[in-house]
Amino acid sequence: MSTAARVETITESSLEEAAALIRAGQLVAFPTETVYGLGADATNDQAVARIFEAKARPQFNPLIVHVRDLKQANCHTVFDETATRLSAKFWPGALTFVLPRRTGSNVSKLVSAGLDTVAVRSPAHPAACRLLELAKCPVAAPSANRSGYLSPTTADHVVEDLGEAITLVLDGGPCSIGVESTIIDLSTKPPSLLRLGGIPSEEIEAELGPLQLAGSETILAPGMLANHYAPATPIRLNAQHCQADEALLAFGPNPVVGAKVTENLSPKGNLVEAAGNLFTMLHTLDVEGCTTIATMSVPEYGLGLAINDRLRRAASGRR
Ligand code: TXA
Ligand code: MG
């Protein structure tokens, strides 16, 4: 049974409680200077899957990871000279960098929807800063609204839209900027602007020279990014049997038998668990040297819709 979220004003004790909930794998809505974020421990696959469930997103779009500072960002992404220079100028603040994922980073693969890049931002809002300090983990946080609805700039907006899906909303009053952060992709040469936002692009261009704004389809549907993750091994959907040279991505208590190697998204048939495991298991099966990765069908509701969407894209191959 869902109940309405509890709203707490910002105090050291509400921040401590929020940090404890995040560390325990729960979702907490919190203010940033841009919009309210729906935060979860970015290193916890299940917690990240809950974000997609709460937002009712039919697709796994990559999420922004919030960090305390450059040092924490650097544990999970590779900062080159340009990223270091821009972060010195604009962090903490409304600028997000897409950077190569650092080898060994424990950020959930679901956060970046399987891509080998991670988007990082160090927010300036004092409550967000303190929450990140207390939580100690990097915090994945998209805007705290249901997919397709407006981004929330007050705690009331969050409660109206997502109240039943979250435990705690930290109320820090209205957001000072009110639009999402600007996103710049520094993993490509030359860099490109992925989203216009809180930091005017002119200010970034003053540092980097003229920038290309990536195609509008990238902004509207980042799940369709041209370089979306697809395994090198061909995917076969809706497997009902398996051959000895195939890998199996199973779901539920009765996996198909006969595969060379099997990973089960959720033996219990739980879609949140399955979503959390999806990208890690696809990666694992991809390196087994099998002819095909056969995938069992997943129910077409809740997070099953997003899982199936991603599997169909993976089956359609690299673009
Ligand atoms: O202002 C903000 O940035 C707010 C507040 C809460 O901080 N957060 C926010 O996060 O807007 P989110 O997760 O909704 O932003 C997701 C967008 C994606 O739609 C995509 O454009 C981009 O960030 N993104 C994230 N990771 C990416 C990646 N690895 N490659 C390319 N784009 C990425
Ligand atoms: Mg949003």
Side-chain angles (χ1 to χ4, degrees):
M1 258 250 316
S2 355
T3 46
R6 192 154 45 83
V7 180
E8 294 283 345
T9 54
I10 307 283
T11 60
E12 184 64 9
S13 88
S14 66
L15 285 163
E16 271 166 12
E17 186 192 356
L21 285 167
I22 285 178
R23 277 200 307 275
Q26 301 299 310
L27 303 183
V28 171
F30 64 96
T32 81
E33 71 278 28
T34 58
V35 299
Y36 275 74
L38 178 60
D41 177 354
T43 67
N44 179 333
D45 288 327
Q46 305 300 300
V48 174
R50 282 191 194 107
I51 291 180
F52 289 100
E53 189 186 41
K55 285 186 67 91
R57 276 197 183 176
Q59 289 180 356
F60 296 125
N61 297 334
L63 304 175
I64 294 174
V65 174
H66 296 69
V67 291
R68 281 193 305 276
D69 51 22
L70 176 61
K71 187 163 165 250
Q72 192 182 29
N74 213 15
C75 296
H76 301 286
T77 52
V78 181
F79 272 65
D80 61 6
E81 188 276 324
T82 308
T84 308
R85 185 156 52 87
L86 288 178
S87 68
K89 186 153 171 75
F90 295 104
W91 272 14
L95 183 61
T96 296
F97 304 115
V98 173
L99 291 167
R101 167 192 280 265
R102 185 171 288 287
T103 311
S105 159
N106 61 350
V107 162
S108 162
K109 288 202 162 69
L110 184 58
V111 162
S112 47
L115 298 170
D116 52 12
T117 51
V118 175
V120 282
R121 169 164 112 82
S122 175
H125 194 292
C129 295
R130 185 67 183 141
L131 179 62
L132 287 165
E133 228 168 76
L134 292 168
K136 299 194 167 67
C137 54
V139 172
S143 50
N145 54 284
R146 259 181 301 157
S147 185
Y149 288 67
L150 286 177
S151 291
T153 53
T154 65
D156 282 352
H157 294 165
V158 179
V159 174
E160 279 161 27
D161 205 9
L162 282 179
E164 312 234 309
I166 38 186
T167 318
L168 180 62
V169 178
L170 292 177
D171 186 351
C175 300
S176 58
I177 295 182
V179 295
E180 290 95 337
S181 61
T182 303
I183 305 179
I184 176 166
D185 188 349
L186 296 176
S187 73
T188 57
K189 296 271 173 307
S192 62
L193 266 177
L194 295 185
R195 181 171 78 187
L196 298 169
I199 302 282
S201 52
E202 295 90 327
E203 288 188 26
I204 306 165
E205 289 184 318
E207 298 292 316
L208 291 187
L211 286 169
Q212 286 290 340
L213 183 59
S216 55
E217 71 277 19
T218 311
I219 299 161
L220 293 175
M224 300 203 180
L225 288 170
N227 60 342
H228 76 253
Y229 171 68
T233 314
I235 301 256
R236 181 167 73 78
L237 299 172
N238 301 325
Q240 281 159 14
H241 56 83
C242 258
Q243 279 158 17
D245 57 357
E246 286 187 312
L248 175 70
L249 186 67
F251 177 80
N254 303 305
V256 168
V257 292
K260 180 178 165 200
V261 48
T262 296
E263 293 280 342
N264 196 330
L265 288 171
S266 172
K268 293 189 299 252
N270 177 314
L271 289 168
V272 176
E273 183 182 28
N277 285 331
L278 177 66
F279 290 107
T280 305
M281 290 185 173
L282 274 176
H283 274 276
T284 304
L285 294 176
D286 197 22
V287 298
E288 292 287 337
C290 295
T291 53
T292 322
I293 300 172
T295 68
M296 287 177 64
S297 64
V298 172
E300 279 277 353
Y301 58 81
L303 285 182
L305 293 170
I307 295 171
N308 285 328
D309 169 77
R310 184 49 51 154
L311 289 175
R312 279 193 288 269
R313 285 170 199 281
S316 75
R318 286 177 190 275
R319 308 218 170 120

